[in-house]
Amino acid sequence: MSNAISALNGATWAEGIAAVTEAPMQGMITLRGPLSDAKLKKAATTVAGVDMPGAGQAHVADDRGLCWMSPDELLVLCPYDDVAANTETMQSHLGDLHSLCVDVSDARAVFDLSGPHAREVLAKLVPVDMAPDQFTPGMFRRTRMAQVPAAFWMHDSDTIRIVCFRSQAQYVFDLLTTAAQPGSAVQIF
């Protein structure tokens, strides 16, 4: 069995107004179905260990969590090594409910953007109002980052976690480091 490695082998960059770090391997399971159904809620919350999020929210604690992706989709976060067992657990809770439960861990790359200018760096790249009173910790967005799809949430006021397709990891890393170049602070927030 081969060892799993992240898309950019743990790339980091901290030479500008914010730090960009590829996060360690993260277990991710796409769960689709009726989010209001009791079976689906139990499947998701049992594995993630957090409450169901509302629309546009992420409930995340360490490497476990639930992110609201759309009216019928959640991104379930868990330790990378637990994905297979957690997928089986969720499928057993789902029973005959019309749903989809798929491991997408190796199809995604994850980055942390951190520092006092993290908000400003991301605001240069996404069509989201990143003002502190408009986008707060726990909020979640699925949108475009320049030319590629991405999703993100804030862990705290200075740390943003970003998920993109693995095939676009280098492009996203380069976008973030370019937007965080030294001297590029706009001081908007």
Side-chain angles (χ1 to χ4, degrees):
M1 182 172 172
S2 62
N3 293 328
I5 60 169
S6 64
L8 300 181
N9 204 23
T12 62
W13 183 87
E15 300 169 23
I17 64 171
V20 181
T21 306
E22 184 184 27
M25 299 293 289
Q26 171 70 63
M28 290 180 263
I29 303 166
T30 292
L31 178 59
R32 295 200 75 152
L35 300 186
S36 61
D37 187 278
K39 287 181 183 180
L40 189 138
K41 285 180 182 179
K42 183 172 183 176
T45 58
T46 296
V47 165
V50 298
D51 293 334
M52 282 289 285
Q57 298 292 311
H59 291 172
V60 180
D62 299 319
D63 59 356
R64 293 188 172 279
L66 296 172
C67 302
W68 186 92
M69 297 291 279
S70 73
D72 69 345
E73 181 180 359
L74 292 173
L75 180 63
V76 181
L77 305 174
C78 65
Y80 183 81
D81 292 336
D82 296 347
V83 170
N86 285 336
T87 301
E88 285 182 32
T89 298
M90 287 196 303
Q91 288 172 337
S92 70
H93 285 294
L94 294 167
D96 62 356
L97 178 68
H98 182 72
S99 59
L100 174 73
C101 183
V102 178
D103 174 8
V104 296
S105 308
D106 293 328
R108 306 289 187 266
V110 183
F111 297 97
D112 285 326
L113 178 64
S114 60
H117 296 287
R119 238 179 232 287
E120 186 174 314
V121 170
L122 196 58
K124 296 175 186 179
L125 302 170
V126 298
V128 175
D129 186 347
M130 295 300 297
D133 64 335
Q134 296 299 308
F135 196 83
T136 59
M139 295 180 84
F140 181 88
R141 289 298 178 273
R142 185 178 187 182
T143 187
R144 297 198 69 76
M145 180 179 295
Q147 298 299 311
V148 297
F152 60 90
W153 67 93
M154 296 186 77
H155 281 293
D156 57 51
S157 61
D158 291 337
T159 309
I160 303 167
R161 175 134 306 175
I162 301 163
V163 177
C164 68
F165 288 113
R166 184 182 181 102
S167 62
Q168 297 162 341
Q170 187 66 58
Y171 176 77
V172 169
F173 185 81
D174 292 346
L175 278 175
L176 293 168
T177 58
T178 299
Q181 287 298 307
S184 68
V186 181
Q187 304 295 334
I188 193 166
F189 302 123

